[in-house]
Amino acid sequence: MNAFPVTEDHRTATYGVPAHLSRHLKIATLFTPEYPLVLESGRSLSHVQVAYEEYGTPSRHRDNTVFVCHALTGDSHPARHDPDDIPGWWDVMVGPGRPIDTDTFHVVSANVLGGCAGTTGPLSPGETGRPLGPDFPEVTVADMVTVHRALLAHLGIERLYSVVGGSLGGMQALEWLLRHPGDARRFVLIGTAAGLTTDGLAAHAISRAAIRSDPCFDGGRYVDDLIGPGPRDGLGIARMVAHLTYMSPESLESKFGRAVQPGREPTGPAHGRYAIERYLEHQARKFVDRFDANSYLHLTTAMDRFTAFERPHAIAPENDPAVHVFSFASDRLFGQEVTNALLAQLTATGLTTVTHHRDTTSPAGHDAFLLNVPGYLREMRAVLAEPSAV
């Protein structure tokens, strides 16, 4: 990996972050005005703040690092560091004795560029000191990977044991594989695709329309004075739409069916009476307290525009990592045809080790990659423990 200009790590209160962050969060400031981050759009950023967390200990040869890429609304905190820490979004996967075993591996996870959990994004201050908001530049999955690699260079990690990610995190891992295959011994792509289907694009379109149409959105300037509610209703609806794509029809039916929510009857047709409606509203309320609407617009757009194999790729024999793809039969966001296309495209690059692990046991849908699915977790443990193909 190439060296990137950085400043020293420091722990700091992050600007305008809605999420409750772990006390173990660290901050690195990467890139300088002389050597800025040049985005795929052509615009540049300097003094890029990156929020990240580390677990475990680097080996003497610094060859045991696993980089964990997070999904759309994740952050740098996949797991608890100790019993008193806040829960992580992937506690079933990362930690002592887990498939990504922090007694064995040194784990690094970072909030993506454009996020809202400590890394530079729309909530970051511009030259006026106010949040950039809609003036934050467009970012791509490739830009996210560039920042991840800069962070690793700062940490002195030259080659990774593995890059692991699910959903948008899997897109990051796939982009990393295609652009820099020699960076890791293996890449693990979970519940992901080389690009969104039309259904996925449509769900994001509805979500962004809900945010933009909220009267409090104000063209994305709702954070100028860091006061006011912001587009909470629109962002909440966006979360409700997305949540439906993360669950399978079978899981929705088994959990809720046509059950009526206990309590007072609704007063009219404007308010539904079903448990599924109350559940989605609950998910919306939780989400708007921890996420920024402009970040949601940027990150969903980055997913929309991700087309991993738009340009030809060929993996040279000297850079031939093992690649492991995980999918779930109940995942309606990235179904079997999507996975089959990804596998065919990966094989066409010349990779010699591409394996596919398909879970048929979990009815949970796309969210299964975050859950305690025993067979999937066993396969993950085996994949990370087996000798590398290179």
Side-chain angles (χ1 to χ4, degrees), residues 18-19 72-74 115-116 235 287-293 295-296 299:
L72 174 62
T73 63
C116 56
L235 182 59
F287 185 65
V288 299
D289 288 335
R290 70 173 181 87
F291 215 82
D292 173 56
S295 278
Y296 199 85
L299 298 185

Side-chain angles (χ1 to χ4, degrees), residues 69-74 89-90 112 141 144 164-175 188-196 204 239 242 245-246 299-300 302-303 306 325-328 331 333-334 338 342 365-370 376:
C69 302
H70 72 71
L72 174 62
T73 63
W89 51 266
W90 222 8
V112 295
V141 173
M144 298 172 194
V164 179
S167 196
L168 172 58
M171 291 179 172
Q172 295 164 57
L174 174 58
E175 182 73 6
V188 183
L189 320 177
I190 309 171
T192 196
L196 289 181
H204 281 173
R239 180 61 169 178
T245 71
Y246 302 154
L299 298 185
T300 56
M303 288 186 73
F306 180 66
V325 177
F326 284 78
S327 66
F328 299 87
D331 187 346
L333 187 60
F334 299 126
V338 172
L342 172 60
H366 183 65
D367 269 354
F369 86 93
L370 297 169
Y376 152 61

Side-chain angles (χ1 to χ4, degrees), residues 334-366:
F334 299 126
Q336 185 167 351
E337 290 185 2
V338 172
T339 303
N340 290 344
L342 172 60
L343 291 167
Q345 290 167 313
L346 286 168
T347 302
T349 66
L351 288 160
T352 58
T353 304
V354 178
T355 65
H356 178 211
H357 312 266
R358 185 166 182 80
D359 177 82
T360 60
T361 67
S362 174
H366 183 65

Side-chain angles (χ1 to χ4, degrees), residues 61-244:
H61 298 294
R62 304 184 77 79
D63 58 358
N64 69 329
T65 299
V66 175
F67 194 98
V68 173
C69 302
H70 72 71
L72 174 62
T73 63
D75 53 35
S76 62
H77 187 65
R80 299 173 189 262
H81 293 261
D82 52 61
D84 296 327
D85 200 4
I86 61 175
W89 51 266
W90 222 8
D91 278 310
V92 298
M93 184 67 73
V94 179
R98 304 296 188 185
I100 303 178
D101 191 343
T102 52
D103 288 336
T104 301
F105 298 117
H106 170 234
V107 178
V108 179
S109 187
N111 186 216
V112 295
L113 182 69
C116 56
T119 293
T120 294
L123 285 176
S124 300
E127 293 181 358
T128 65
R130 292 181 173 182
L132 287 165
D135 296 329
F136 185 74
E138 177 184 322
V139 297
T140 66
V141 173
D143 295 328
M144 298 172 194
V145 171
T146 297
V147 174
H148 293 335
R149 296 181 76 241
L151 173 63
L152 290 169
H154 172 53
L155 296 177
I157 306 298
E158 295 185 356
R159 192 162 191 251
L160 295 162
Y161 184 84
S162 184
V163 177
V164 179
S167 196
L168 172 58
M171 291 179 172
Q172 295 164 57
L174 174 58
E175 182 73 6
W176 206 327
L177 162 68
L178 296 176
R179 291 193 181 231
H180 311 284
D183 276 7
R185 293 168 59 185
R186 71 195 72 230
F187 291 81
V188 183
L189 320 177
I190 309 171
T192 196
L196 289 181
T197 63
T198 307
D199 277 348
L201 295 174
H204 281 173
I206 296 168
S207 296
R208 289 193 295 268
I211 293 170
R212 293 194 305 267
S213 63
D214 189 305
C216 295
F217 179 60
D218 193 23
R221 301 283 177 197
Y222 56 90
V223 291
D224 272 2
D225 298 314
L226 295 178
I227 58 173
R232 292 175 63 88
D233 289 345
L235 182 59
I237 293 170
R239 180 61 169 178
M240 293 167 75
V241 171
H243 205 72
L244 284 179

Side-chain angles (χ1 to χ4, degrees), residues 300-332:
T300 56
T301 298
M303 288 186 73
D304 287 1
R305 297 183 181 178
F306 180 66
T307 50
F309 296 95
E310 188 173 46
R311 60 191 183 283
H313 290 279
I315 306 297
E318 65 271 19
N319 293 321
D320 187 17
V323 179
H324 305 277
V325 177
F326 284 78
S327 66
F328 299 87
S330 60
D331 187 346
R332 62 176 173 182

Side-chain angles (χ1 to χ4, degrees), residues 215-292:
C216 295
F217 179 60
D218 193 23
R221 301 283 177 197
Y222 56 90
V223 291
D224 272 2
D225 298 314
L226 295 178
I227 58 173
R232 292 175 63 88
D233 289 345
L235 182 59
I237 293 170
R239 180 61 169 178
M240 293 167 75
V241 171
H243 205 72
L244 284 179
T245 71
Y246 302 154
M247 300 181 71
S248 70
E250 294 77 15
S251 65
L252 286 168
E253 186 67 32
S254 64
K255 287 184 178 181
F256 304 105
R258 293 182 57 83
V260 174
Q261 181 71 12
R264 189 172 58 183
E265 274 290 298
T267 56
H271 300 281
R273 62 200 300 264
Y274 297 103
I276 181 59
E277 183 173 8
R278 299 286 84 78
Y279 171 75
L280 291 174
E281 290 171 348
H282 169 69
Q283 292 297 326
R285 286 193 298 272
K286 288 199 308 181
F287 185 65
V288 299
D289 288 335
R290 70 173 181 87
F291 215 82
D292 173 56

